[in-house]
Amino acid sequence: LVSAYQSGGNKLTGKIKGYRDNKKIIHFDTEQSKFHCQKLFRRPIIMNDLEKDDNYYTYALRPMDAKDRIDFIEYILYNVLDAKEIGLVIIDGVADLVTDVNNLEQCSYATQKIMKWTDELKCHITTVIHTNYGSDKPTGHLGSFLEKKAETQIKLEKNGVNEGWITVNCKRSRNRGFDDFSFLINEKGLPEFVNNDYDF
């Protein structure tokens, strides 16, 4: 998604297209090490054959506690960048904004913060959260809160027919949904769209 938004689309993103309009991308990762974050943050740049992207801001938040992560994200959004220039924000590991995904007060606070940011900054925020084991429900009360407020829910799961493929499904959307598609990780370690002519 970041790669497609960054450039409008490329040979690896297939039918996924993006319209950036010179907006900035801000990518927060809450759980990976600096080494793995660096690999993750470099990936869309490599996919687009770029040397760098001065409007792609990346932050690794693993050392922080939950409250500090929320405060840090808010500080970056409101004090480091011009709000009018922010287009896409990714919070990979939204569950790390709370200490307990079943704590009603913390989950409500984190969800309200995300709603506030999208409303005031007029940007899109994509979050990533795991599902409960053996279910397609997102984890805990936090998952339930986010599910109710989300514009679109996208579910990723291992493909049941083709080994190594990940199938992407539009679980629900308030607007236009999309057909299922699949991707794989190629020999260079990059996600690559799989032609829809194949079985899912």
Side-chain angles (χ1 to χ4, degrees), residues 156-168 182 199-200:
L156 278 67
E157 61 185 349
K158 288 183 180 179
N159 185 281
V161 178
N162 299 283
E163 186 176 354
W165 289 18
I166 303 296
T167 296
V168 183
S182 296
D199 291 336
F200 284 61

Side-chain angles (χ1 to χ4, degrees), residues 23-87:
K23 300 279 187 174
K24 298 185 186 305
I25 306 168
I26 311 172
H27 194 159
F28 301 98
D29 187 285
T30 64
E31 63 182 6
Q32 296 191 88
S33 67
K34 288 182 180 179
F35 172 78
H36 286 100
C37 282
Q38 191 255 358
K39 286 180 65 177
L40 171 70
F41 298 150
R42 284 286 303 159
R43 186 179 288 163
I45 293 171
I46 293 168
M47 290 172 72
N48 284 309
D49 295 321
L50 300 173
E51 289 295 322
K52 62 178 182 174
D53 180 350
D54 290 333
N55 290 311
Y56 178 37
Y57 295 79
T58 59
Y59 301 93
L61 309 186
R62 180 175 177 161
M64 299 180 179
D65 65 28
K67 180 66 168 61
D68 286 345
R69 289 187 188 108
I70 290 178
D71 292 343
F72 181 85
I73 291 170
E74 188 160 69
Y75 178 80
I76 295 297
L77 295 178
Y78 284 86
N79 297 286
V80 174
L81 302 172
D82 182 342
K84 294 177 182 176
E85 297 178 346
I86 300 173

Side-chain angles (χ1 to χ4, degrees), residues 139-185:
T139 308
H141 289 313
L142 179 63
S144 297
F145 286 167
L146 292 171
E147 190 171 44
K148 290 174 184 172
K149 304 302 182 184
E151 175 194 56
T152 302
Q153 278 185 274
I154 300 173
K155 182 176 74 170
L156 278 67
E157 61 185 349
K158 288 183 180 179
N159 185 281
V161 178
N162 299 283
E163 186 176 354
W165 289 18
I166 303 296
T167 296
V168 183
N169 166 261
C170 182
K171 188 175 174 184
R172 65 176 55 88
S173 180
R174 297 176 192 265
N175 296 306
R176 182 180 174 186
F178 58 85
D179 294 332
D180 291 2
F181 66 92
S182 296
F183 69 90
L184 53 78
I185 303 299

